[in-house]
């Protein structure tokens, strides 16, 4: 009797820690979804952006991601949980003041501030998830987290309709209200949840392991390819097909509704079929999507591609669980910081360069995205069916040296 009644108490801190992860994900997604949904229309209508300016803005947005490795040094002073909450607060402030600076310079500055909070939070969130969730449950939990992210985004888009369509308020008030709400929620989480133990002590230095090389390369191409979707797919909807704020918001609503319904199942699906098969499926789908973006001439078809593309991002859970299975536990925080920097090496450069290319050939931009997906597909063929320390890759065989 004693053993059975003690079990729920022993598991309680883990459950509470995972609840905190879900709530932090909700707050982040609520704020970022509003910022992102309004961005293309805001910069075109208020700041007269072209593809060149949006490319520069998105490159600047990725600079904090490139510097994410510095998170490991901040962890010398702060616990990961406290740092994550502080990062969310910085994100809230950056989003809240965006609407009050409708110029190129103002948008560049507020975007960088927002991005500092966003990228540090994402780095810490991934690290804490891999530490607080058991390996056998990680894919399912990440699918659940994507559903929470989608639910928050839906709430954000509903707030856009309420504030801008029904109440007829301008962009600046929409940004201010969602930033203030986000800051209030962050303060509430910091007061409600205790400080949780992350278990084994994490390294507080930059770490690069030779045996993680395949994960590093997958991360690099993922970052490069994702930028083309984030920057140019949505911009195409507004510039080429004339989507309004309400139409873009409706498209995002559909995206997140689909993820809300299917992301948990995708997480469980990845847990069943394994990382190798999941990654191969993701990259085959992305090759087809990017080639279709390059050739599409109908706005409704483009919208369908956008929804499918967004759903495929859920398959990226497999890359994170692959790393969790091959990693030494003390490496997780340091490697997450380094991997975010690797993810953003190309992301800092690509939006600006492809923004210039966009002026002459939007089609070429999407074909470049397809080529990057091909590189990722080739790399995914080297993922073992059962990844583990000492079994990080299929080739070259044998345990890699540090």
């Amino acid at each position: 009797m004693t053993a059975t009644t003690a079990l729920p108490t022993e598991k309680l801190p883990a459950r509470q820690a995972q609840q905190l992860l879900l709530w932090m994900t909700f707050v982040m997604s609520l704020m970022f979804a509003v910022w992102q949904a309004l961005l293309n229309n805001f910069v075109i209508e208020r700041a007269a952006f072209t593809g060149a300016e949006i490319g520069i803005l998105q490159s600047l947005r990725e600079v904090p991601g490139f510097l994410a490795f510095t998170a490991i040094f901040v962890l010398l002073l702060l616990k990961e949980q406290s740092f994550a909450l502080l990062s969310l607060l910085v994100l809230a402030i950056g989003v809240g003041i965006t609407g009050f600076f409708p110029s190129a310079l103002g948008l560049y500055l507020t975007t960088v501030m927002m991005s500092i909070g966003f990228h540090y939070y994402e780095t810490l969130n991934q690290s804490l998830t891999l530490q607080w969730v058991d390996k056998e449950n990680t894919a399912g939990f990440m699918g659940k987290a994507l559903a929470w992210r989608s639910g928050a985004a839906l709430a954000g888009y509903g707030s856009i309709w309420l504030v801008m369509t029904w109440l007829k308020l301008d962009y600046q008030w929409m940004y201010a209200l969602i930033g203030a709400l986000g800051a209030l929620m962050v303060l509430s989480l910091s007061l409600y949840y205790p400080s949780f133990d992350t278990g084994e002590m994490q390294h507080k230095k930059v770490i690069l392991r030779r045996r993680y090389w395949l994960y590093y390369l997958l991360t690099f191409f993922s970052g490069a390819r994702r930028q083309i979707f984030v920057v140019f797919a949505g911009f195409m909807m507004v510039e080429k097909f004339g989507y309004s704020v309400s139409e873009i918001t409706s498209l995002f609503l559909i995206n997140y509704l689909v993820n809300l319904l299917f992301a948990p199942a995708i997480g469980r699906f990845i847990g069943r079929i394994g990382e190798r098969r999941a990654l191969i499926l993701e990259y085959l789908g992305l090759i087809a999507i990017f080639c279709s973006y390059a050739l599409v001439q109908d706005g409704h078809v483009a919208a369908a591609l956008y929804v499918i593309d967004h759903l495929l991002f859920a398959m990226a859970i497999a890359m994170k669980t692959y790393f969790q299975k091959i990693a030494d536990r003390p490496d997780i925080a340091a490697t997450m910081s380094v991997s975010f920097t690797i993810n953003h090496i190309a992301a800092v450069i690509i939006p600006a360069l492809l923004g210039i290319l966009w002026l002459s050939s939007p089609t070429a931009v999407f074909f470049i995205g397809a080529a990057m997906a091909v590189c990722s597909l080739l790399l995914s063929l080297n993922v073992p069916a059962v990844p583990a320390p000492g079994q990080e890759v299929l080739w070259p065989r044998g345990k890699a040296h540090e």
Side-chain angles (χ1 to χ4, degrees):
M1 178 66 73
T2 303
T4 57
T5 55
L7 185 58
T9 304
E10 292 168 1
K11 290 186 175 180
L12 186 59
R15 290 200 195 102
Q16 287 184 325
Q18 291 171 23
Q19 287 173 5
L20 176 60
L21 286 172
L22 293 174
W23 277 115
M24 289 194 298
T25 295
F26 183 92
V27 175
M28 182 281 297
S29 184
L30 177 70
M31 294 185 291
F32 186 73
V34 172
W35 180 88
Q36 186 180 47
L38 297 179
L39 180 66
N40 287 317
N41 292 89
F42 181 57
V43 300
I44 290 173
E45 294 174 18
R46 296 290 188 270
F49 272 29
T50 66
E53 287 85 14
I54 194 69
I56 293 171
L57 182 144
Q58 295 288 2
S59 286
L60 288 172
R61 183 173 74 87
E62 299 304 340
V63 170
F66 178 71
L67 298 174
F69 73 92
T70 59
I72 203 65
F73 303 122
V74 180
L75 291 177
L76 292 170
L77 304 173
L78 293 174
K79 293 186 65 175
E80 285 185 80
Q81 182 177 333
S82 300
F83 191 11
L85 290 165
L86 179 60
S87 298
L88 280 178
L89 186 60
V90 173
L91 169 62
I93 295 170
V95 170
I97 65 176
T98 294
F100 295 97
F101 297 92
S103 65
L105 180 59
L107 283 164
Y108 294 159
L109 292 174
T110 57
T111 295
V112 168
M113 182 177 185
M114 178 280 302
S115 182
I116 289 171
F118 174 83
H119 283 101
Y120 275 144
Y121 167 73
E122 284 289 281
T123 300
L124 296 160
N125 175 62
Q126 289 190 23
S127 173
L128 290 172
T129 298
L130 297 184
Q131 292 176 71
W132 284 349
V133 183
D134 295 334
K135 290 181 182 180
E136 60 270 20
N137 299 323
T138 302
F141 178 82
M142 287 185 169
K144 184 178 181 180
L146 279 176
W148 275 63
R149 185 178 297 229
S150 299
L154 289 171
Y157 301 144
S159 70
I160 291 175
W161 175 85
L162 177 65
V163 172
M164 300 189 70
T165 304
W166 191 62
L167 297 178
K168 307 292 185 184
L169 296 181
D170 196 41
Y171 288 102
Q172 66 186 91
W173 298 111
M174 183 68 246
Y175 279 122
L177 288 169
I178 209 68
L181 177 61
L184 180 62
M185 294 177 73
V186 170
L187 293 174
S188 298
L189 291 177
S190 66
L191 293 173
Y192 181 78
Y193 284 97
S195 179
F196 297 108
D197 184 14
T198 55
E200 197 167 349
M201 182 66 68
Q202 294 293 299
H203 292 302
K204 299 296 193 300
K205 60 182 179 180
V206 174
I207 291 176
L208 286 169
R209 305 281 193 206
R210 185 183 302 177
R211 65 189 184 88
Y212 299 157
W213 70 266
L214 181 57
Y215 172 71
Y216 296 148
L217 282 177
L218 286 169
T219 298
F220 173 81
F221 280 104
S222 174
R225 187 184 65 251
R226 185 180 179 90
Q227 287 309 303
I228 298 177
F229 168 77
V230 170
V231 178
F232 296 105
F235 194 74
M236 175 183 69
M237 299 298 178
V238 177
E239 186 182 67
K240 183 174 181 178
F241 298 111
Y243 275 50
S244 65
V245 171
S246 61
E247 288 170 330
I248 285 289
T249 303
S250 297
L251 181 59
F252 283 9
L253 281 168
I254 295 170
N255 269 347
Y256 285 104
L257 182 60
V258 170
N259 258 13
L260 181 65
L261 295 174
F262 294 105
I266 290 175
R268 293 191 296 270
F269 177 68
I270 292 170
R272 286 198 301 271
I273 69 171
E275 288 77 12
R276 174 185 168 87
R277 292 177 179 174
L279 290 171
I280 290 172
L281 285 175
E282 178 191 1
Y283 300 139
L284 286 173
L286 288 173
I287 292 167
I289 291 292
F290 276 115
C291 289
S292 300
Y293 274 145
L295 303 173
V296 67
Q297 296 299 323
D298 181 86
H300 294 95
V301 175
L305 292 172
Y306 194 84
V307 172
I308 297 170
D309 195 352
H310 197 271
L311 183 61
L312 283 173
F313 278 129
M315 300 292 285
I317 290 171
M319 194 167 66
K320 300 179 182 70
T321 57
Y322 162 68
F323 171 71
Q324 187 187 34
K325 290 179 179 179
I326 66 171
D328 293 333
R329 188 175 177 84
D331 291 350
I332 290 176
T335 305
M336 286 298 98
S337 299
V338 170
S339 69
F340 252 74
T341 293
I342 293 171
N343 183 276
H344 289 80
I345 291 173
V348 171
I349 302 170
I350 281 178
L353 291 180
L354 295 189
I356 296 171
L357 177 61
W358 181 271
L359 299 176
S360 58
S361 179
T363 296
V365 170
F366 291 120
F367 278 132
I368 289 172
M372 291 176 181
V374 170
C375 293
S376 295
L377 175 63
L378 295 175
L379 289 169
S380 70
L381 297 175
N382 202 25
V383 174
V386 185
Q391 300 178 48
E392 296 88 0
V393 296
L394 292 176
W395 184 90
R397 292 183 180 278
K399 185 174 176 63
H401 297 290
E402 295 301 324

